[in-house]
Amino acid sequence: MRVVVVGAGQVGHTVVKSLAETHDCRVVDIDRARLDALSHAYDVRVTHGSGTRRETLLDAGVADAELVLACTSRDEVNLVTAMLARKLSSARTVVRATGTDYLAAWHAGDLDVDLLVSTAFETARAVSRVLQVPGARHVDFFADGKVAVIGVHVPETDPPPFAGRPLREADLPEESRVVAVVRDRVLIGPSGKETVRPGDLLVVMTSPAGARAWSRAVSGAEPIGDVVVFGAGRVGTAIARMLLDQGLVVRIVEHDAARAEAAAAALDRARVYHADGLDPEFLRGERIGAAGAAVLAQGDDSRNLHAGVLAKLHGVGLTLTVLDDPAAADVFEAAGVDVTVDPGDETAEKMARYTFGRRTRQLAMLEDDRFEVLDITVRPGSRHAHRPVDTLPGAGVGALIRDGEAVFPHGGDELRPGDRVIVLAEPEHVVALERDL
């Protein structure tokens, strides 16, 4: 597929990284340094200029493109780019919006684009998923919530009873299947003989009830009922609104008076503090440490890091930070912050889904995009139909949707035509997997 990507910033870079090996990618940006970096790292053609200019898009090959992804950091630039692309080609158009202001207009059909992806909304969804399964590093739901895909670290101190035992002998939560073991950043096929070790990352597909059981097994965590959100910008407000809609008690801490006032007006069910989240006296006085979780969304990694460590010191059990710079993830992990959420990854994941065929209903990227999870329907003529799930090359099948119900298969269970297969694969196997299934 020829894909024109407009915007070579954080989101555009992640999109290109995901697509460059399997698609003809053309990248447009006004920043030559960004374009040079991308062209040196990936086999892509670059065009210097603005996506809002007709000549630039034509030079990038939009007339023959099948998909245009407008993912700059400026919403209006992305919308104009998409409108131009509509006039100049028959390509499908996917637009990134940083906030949530344009979502209602798109849902109402007032914006003529195929998909509008809100970075703030997708980040809020990612945070809310993790809060539903505390103790997990990554959480995605597939098949209308029937299947949870979770990444859980086996703790090195006080590990669960199944650590040190082969998978086939381990007492694991029911309705679940381990599809990958990541050890020292290396993927190990989860055969029944493989022994789970403290420090391993397990990628598990399970039912919602099974996900909660895994959470209790690895961390002892119970469901989160109340959250403190540090930061009332676009992302922090979107997170707070989504958590309130899910019935959680939400407090917001914002050091900027205007933002705090705007959040209080927009979110009448939240308690909003105009205060400095780095002030230990404030944290003690308002008993912030009693919260079930703290979400750090201040748009500044240094402030988030400071606030996250303070929240931990005051007793908050679970801390999540929204990254400004993805490279800071290791620093947060070393400092003891439990979960990092990369808004660029969340946005790029949703945009990249449009490069797949209609049989692939959903896509998730895990562990710095080193693995992808797909929801693919098995064709009647597939060469893998009527073969055991464990014979699928380069992939781990964790769940099937059969007759509307989730099934967590054993290795010898057969794939059937019409099954929806929830499968984890390394990126280099994804195109063949989609084609052959």
Side-chain angles (χ1 to χ4, degrees), residues 21-23 355-356 359-360 372 374 376-377 379 382-384 392-395 423 425-437:
E21 288 189 10
T22 51
H23 297 281
T355 62
F356 289 86
R359 288 186 302 111
T360 302
E372 296 184 9
L374 301 102
I376 307 177
T377 301
R379 292 180 293 108
S382 169
R383 64 188 182 91
H384 297 294
L392 198 63
V423 58
E426 293 178 279
E428 58 267 28
H429 298 295
V430 165
V431 172
L433 184 65
E434 189 191 33
R435 180 191 65 225
D436 294 342
L437 271 175

Side-chain angles (χ1 to χ4, degrees), residues 225-387:
D226 66 315
V227 179
V228 177
V229 178
F230 290 79
R234 284 179 173 177
V235 173
T237 301
I239 292 169
R241 180 177 286 109
M242 188 168 292
L243 299 183
L244 287 166
D245 289 344
Q246 293 172 353
L248 276 68
V249 175
V250 177
R251 290 181 283 173
I252 303 173
V253 181
E254 173 55 60
H255 64 90
D256 181 86
R259 282 186 173 180
E261 186 175 348
L267 304 169
D268 57 359
R269 290 174 291 160
R271 187 169 184 179
V272 181
Y273 300 90
H274 172 217
D276 189 347
L278 308 184
D279 180 0
E281 291 300 324
F282 164 75
L283 298 179
R284 277 192 291 270
E286 296 298 335
R287 300 182 69 245
I288 297 299
V295 178
L296 315 163
Q298 301 175 97
D300 182 323
D301 285 336
S302 60
R303 285 188 64 88
N304 283 341
L305 181 63
H306 192 167
V309 173
L310 275 178
K312 279 285 190 184
L313 289 174
H314 281 78
V316 175
L318 177 65
T319 51
L320 300 86
T321 192
V322 177
L323 294 170
D324 183 43
D325 179 1
D330 290 341
V331 176
F332 281 97
E333 184 175 344
V337 173
D338 297 294
V339 179
T340 58
V341 175
D342 182 349
D345 275 357
E346 299 302 326
T347 308
E349 175 183 299
K350 192 74 176 284
M351 298 183 87
R353 158 66 184 83
Y354 255 59
T355 62
F356 289 86
R358 293 185 178 180
R359 288 186 302 111
T360 302
R361 303 193 186 195
Q362 193 173 336
L363 165 71
M365 302 175 186
L366 309 181
E367 288 297 294
D368 299 326
D369 309 337
R370 291 184 296 124
F371 313 110
E372 296 184 9
V373 180
L374 301 102
D375 175 352
I376 307 177
T377 301
V378 180
R379 292 180 293 108
S382 169
R383 64 188 182 91
H384 297 294
H386 307 296
R387 298 179 65 183

Side-chain angles (χ1 to χ4, degrees), residues 99-132:
T100 58
D101 295 344
Y102 290 112
L103 277 175
W106 179 68
H107 283 300
D110 296 330
L111 296 177
D112 186 22
V113 298
D114 292 288
L115 178 67
L116 187 137
V117 182
S118 162
T119 295
F121 182 78
E122 296 303 326
T123 303
R125 287 183 62 184
V127 169
S128 72
R129 292 194 300 262
V130 172
L131 292 176
Q132 290 178 56

